[in-house]
Amino acid sequence: MNGDFALWVYLSRTPLLWLTVTLVAYLVADRISAATGRHPVANPVLIAIAITACVLKLTETPYPTYFAGAQFVHFLLGPATVVLALPLYEHRATVLRAALPMLAALCAGCATALVTAVGLARLLGIPEPVIVSLSPKSVTSGVAMGISEALGGDPTLTAVLVMTTGIVGAILVTPLMQIMRIRDMRARGFAAGLAAHGVGTARAFQVSEVAGTFAGIAMGLNAFLTAIAVPLALHLLT
């Protein structure tokens, strides 16, 4: 028994353990999602987070210890975002034909996300540092955390809000589009990437490669535009 405990103490301090836990949790979550026919509610990211959280709770492992091992996955967010350029290149003709509608949707979506988040937060009397952390919630986590930190927010809180936004958006996007009878995969994908960044983009690729391509475009463009617009929005909505 003591030997098993000593082995666990050793493994728990090994970075490879928590990287393995993260990957296994996602593989299990993806199998569950596939078994449900990729139902929107069975989001693999949400399920993987729940599994990992249970493991951390049962083993009484502090988050910094976990992140020290799993941070390699966090590092790969950058390269994974860059890889989205491949389907963009393959569908470049389709993208160019929809350039003007995409630009209009980008501006409208970015403005709506900022005004609703910052405006409502100020009306509710939420403290300024929390508002700053909340403002880039619709941007992919790496960019959002950078924006938050540069403006005096809490990057950790921003990461939580970004993931919450992405998961909720990925769950709601498909049924919402069905209700609104939007069949164009370009529009559906662009909306998913604009509102729910990386998690929404992953969901869009599950539905259609065209939808995933447009979601990736929206995610990248929205990150660029939001980085410029957040300071302006915080200043105007005071």
Side-chain angles (χ1 to χ4, degrees):
M1 185 69 177
N2 290 335
D4 293 340
F5 179 75
L7 178 62
W8 168 252
V9 171
Y10 171 74
L11 290 175
S12 66
R13 299 180 182 276
T14 304
L16 183 60
L17 172 66
W18 298 113
L19 176 61
T20 303
V21 167
T22 303
L23 296 178
V24 170
Y26 186 82
L27 288 174
V28 172
D30 189 61
R31 289 290 184 90
I32 295 172
S33 177
T36 65
R38 300 296 180 187
H39 191 281
V41 176
N43 185 278
V45 176
L46 177 60
I47 297 171
I49 289 174
I51 294 172
T52 305
C54 288
V55 172
L56 295 181
K57 180 66 176 177
L58 290 172
T59 59
E60 298 182 353
T61 301
Y63 180 77
T65 300
Y66 162 76
F67 187 75
Q71 61 182 327
F72 183 68
V73 177
H74 179 76
F75 167 77
L76 289 176
L77 285 174
T81 303
V82 174
V83 168
L84 292 173
L86 294 177
L88 169 60
Y89 178 78
E90 292 175 357
H91 296 278
R92 59 191 180 280
T94 305
V95 170
L96 289 174
R97 286 196 297 270
L100 288 178
M102 285 167 52
L103 181 60
L106 173 67
C107 294
C110 179
T112 300
L114 286 174
V115 170
T116 54
V118 178
L120 288 174
R122 289 201 186 281
L123 288 175
L124 294 173
I126 294 175
E128 185 69 20
V130 178
I131 295 177
V132 174
S133 303
L134 173 66
S135 57
K137 65 178 178 57
S138 294
V139 180
T140 187
S141 58
V143 176
M145 292 171 69
I147 294 173
S148 176
E149 185 173 16
L151 296 176
D154 183 349
T156 303
L157 176 58
T158 298
V160 173
L161 293 169
V162 166
M163 288 306 300
T164 303
T165 300
I167 291 171
V168 172
I171 291 173
L172 294 180
V173 64
T174 298
L176 185 60
M177 292 295 173
Q178 298 288 12
I179 292 171
M180 297 176 67
R181 298 182 180 180
I182 297 176
R183 309 299 181 197
D184 190 329
M185 287 299 169
R186 298 173 300 174
R188 294 176 67 148
F190 199 84
L194 186 59
H197 45 82
V199 184
T201 299
R203 171 60 185 168
F205 269 112
Q206 290 178 346
V207 175
S208 160
E209 185 174 338
V210 172
T213 298
F214 277 80
I217 296 169
M219 181 179 69
L221 292 178
N222 191 40
F224 174 75
L225 184 57
T226 300
I228 298 172
V230 164
L232 182 62
L234 291 173
H235 175 72
L236 292 177
L237 297 173
T238 54

